[in-house]
Amino acid sequence: MKHIKTFFLVSSLAIMVSGCSATDEDYSYVKTEDKTIDHIHGMGYPNNKGELVIATHDGLMKYKDSTWYETNSEKHDYMGFQPYKDGFYSSGHPEEGSKLKNPLGLVKSTDGGKSLDKLAFYGETDFHYLGAGYQSKALYAINQESNSEMDTGLYRSMDEGENWKKADMKGFDSTSIGNIAVHPSKKEMLAISSKDGVFVSQDGGDSFTKVENTQTTTSIYLTEKTGLFASIEKGKIQLYELNLDSNKIQSYPTPDLSQDNPIMYISSNPERSDEWTIVTYNNDIFQSTDNDETWNEVVDEGKLAK
């Protein structure tokens, strides 16, 4: 699969790199108010702490106890941001004035973004499409431009970027994708949202099966037994739950959203299975703590709720 068109704006992954400008003493999350968020590039719950973190064009932000916080330094443009049990993986670009190389390649952080560990393709590649197993740490990336080790296509790594293998992607026939979702513990199970529906693989991306009765899908997230994905239908946005054993789907309560404001990111709190968060194209953030029965808007078009 040589060419993959961009479907919707997808966040890039964050980076852990030595030589950061902040010291251990001065890097922290500080309370923020009257702020407008631009360009959300991913979100989730890193470090098994149950705290929502979003990756923006200007660094990381955290939502805890109905309060927003932002980092006071290391404000990198994180792309493909992927939380996992010990921290997060990411890609993207360093903040202005940083000594880090641009692009960041594949990086990880286990200290909330204070330091970045360079894993692969540092200064060489900016991955916009990344997926990571929350427990397994299996990594998947779509490479859109050839680099020193990869041509274009879907690749997987089971050792945090040291070795990569290209996936065959048999059965995947869409030309535009939304995101890659990796099963939390099953390393070889992943799903891809696309303009032609949801595609699921059980063998590391070598072959895919389309989920029946799915259409234009902008985002998907996998838990141990189910997936939650967002579709565009009849001018509206609709969430669906996917049973990973049967591949059957059923509709889920959804905020009132029009097709020009699709859902870009979906995530679930690993500490609270009933807590879900979604982010839309217009930078709206909704959160539910009762398995999607009711949604609370915590960010309205990038403006923090007071």
Side-chain angles (χ1 to χ4, degrees), residues 243-258:
N243 185 304
L244 297 182
D245 290 327
S246 66
N247 265 5
K248 300 298 184 182
I249 65 173
Q250 63 179 16
S251 60
Y252 246 57
T254 309
D256 186 16
L257 298 169
S258 64

Side-chain angles (χ1 to χ4, degrees), residues 5-9 129 176-179 193-195 216-218 232:
K5 299 178 182 178
T6 301
F7 182 35
F8 286 116
L9 183 64
Y129 295 94
S176 296
I177 78 166
N179 75 309
S193 61
S194 81
K195 74 177 183 66
T216 303
T217 305
T218 57
I232 299 175

Side-chain angles (χ1 to χ4, degrees), residues 17-176:
V17 192
S18 58
C20 300
S21 59
T23 66
D24 289 351
E25 292 75 26
D26 62 18
Y27 180 87
S28 64
Y29 283 83
V30 296
K31 187 176 179 181
T32 183
E33 296 177 342
D34 299 324
K35 181 182 176 67
T36 298
I37 304 172
D38 294 318
H39 305 297
I40 298 174
H41 293 160
M43 62 96 179
Y45 298 80
N47 299 94
N48 269 329
K49 288 185 176 180
E51 298 174 353
L52 176 67
V53 174
I54 64 171
T56 79
H57 184 72
D58 301 305
L60 301 177
M61 296 184 66
K62 179 168 62 177
Y63 188 63
K64 179 182 179 182
D65 299 328
S66 301
T67 302
W68 282 99
Y69 301 84
E70 63 180 321
T71 60
N72 61 352
S73 59
E74 306 303 326
K75 294 179 176 292
H76 308 305
D77 180 10
Y78 292 105
M79 301 292 292
F81 181 77
Q82 291 292 308
Y84 78 109
K85 63 179 182 178
D86 299 322
F88 65 82
Y89 299 101
S90 189
S91 189
H93 309 278
E95 66 175 335
E96 186 175 353
S98 172
K99 294 181 180 179
L100 298 174
K101 291 182 179 180
N102 186 17
L104 292 169
L106 174 65
V107 294
K108 78 170 181 178
S109 178
T110 56
D111 54 13
K114 179 168 60 177
S115 64
L116 298 173
D117 182 20
K118 296 170 281 188
L119 299 180
F121 310 112
Y122 178 54
E124 186 176 358
T125 299
D126 174 23
F127 293 108
H128 285 207
Y129 295 94
L130 281 173
Y134 197 90
Q135 299 295 334
S136 71
K137 302 191 291 186
L139 292 170
Y140 289 82
I142 288 180
N143 191 41
Q144 295 175 276
E145 295 182 6
S146 298
N147 59 33
S148 59
E149 295 183 29
M150 301 173 169
D151 56 16
T152 56
L154 175 66
Y155 285 78
R156 60 181 179 262
S157 174
M158 303 301 172
D159 52 13
E160 294 195 301
E162 186 173 347
N163 296 285
W164 295 88
K165 184 174 181 180
K166 188 173 184 179
D168 294 333
M169 296 191 78
K170 295 177 182 178
F172 185 88
D173 57 5
S174 182
T175 56
S176 296

Side-chain angles (χ1 to χ4, degrees), residues 114-297:
K114 179 168 60 177
S115 64
L116 298 173
D117 182 20
K118 296 170 281 188
L119 299 180
F121 310 112
Y122 178 54
E124 186 176 358
T125 299
D126 174 23
F127 293 108
H128 285 207
Y129 295 94
L130 281 173
Y134 197 90
Q135 299 295 334
S136 71
K137 302 191 291 186
L139 292 170
Y140 289 82
I142 288 180
N143 191 41
Q144 295 175 276
E145 295 182 6
S146 298
N147 59 33
S148 59
E149 295 183 29
M150 301 173 169
D151 56 16
T152 56
L154 175 66
Y155 285 78
R156 60 181 179 262
S157 174
M158 303 301 172
D159 52 13
E160 294 195 301
E162 186 173 347
N163 296 285
W164 295 88
K165 184 174 181 180
K166 188 173 184 179
D168 294 333
M169 296 191 78
K170 295 177 182 178
F172 185 88
D173 57 5
S174 182
T175 56
S176 296
I177 78 166
N179 75 309
I180 305 169
V182 183
H183 189 275
S185 60
K186 297 178 181 179
K187 291 185 176 183
E188 295 194 334
M189 184 174 186
L190 67 150
I192 296 180
S193 61
S194 81
K195 74 177 183 66
D196 298 296
V198 173
F199 291 81
V200 176
S201 174
Q202 304 280 356
D203 57 8
D206 285 335
S207 64
F208 284 87
T209 300
K210 182 182 174 181
V211 177
E212 292 183 1
N213 301 316
T214 59
Q215 44 193 300
T216 303
T217 305
T218 57
S219 185
I220 186 169
Y221 182 86
L222 301 184
T223 65
E224 285 292 331
K225 296 181 178 181
T226 64
L228 190 67
F229 66 90
S231 289
I232 299 175
E233 297 180 2
K234 299 178 181 179
K236 293 286 187 178
I237 306 304
Q238 178 63 53
L239 286 168
Y240 287 93
E241 182 186 65
L242 168 66
N243 185 304
L244 297 182
D245 290 327
S246 66
N247 265 5
K248 300 298 184 182
I249 65 173
Q250 63 179 16
S251 60
Y252 246 57
T254 309
D256 186 16
L257 298 169
S258 64
Q259 67 177 7
D260 60 354
N261 189 24
I263 295 172
M264 306 298 299
Y265 306 106
I266 304 171
S267 190
S268 178
N269 187 339
E271 296 295 298
R272 291 189 55 182
S273 60
D274 63 344
E275 181 177 312
W276 288 87
T277 302
I278 59 176
V279 176
T280 75
Y281 182 79
N282 290 338
N283 296 327
D284 300 317
I285 301 180
F286 294 86
Q287 197 166 74
S288 172
T289 56
D290 54 11
N291 275 324
D292 300 348
E293 291 299 323
T294 57
W295 290 96
N296 178 38
E297 188 173 23

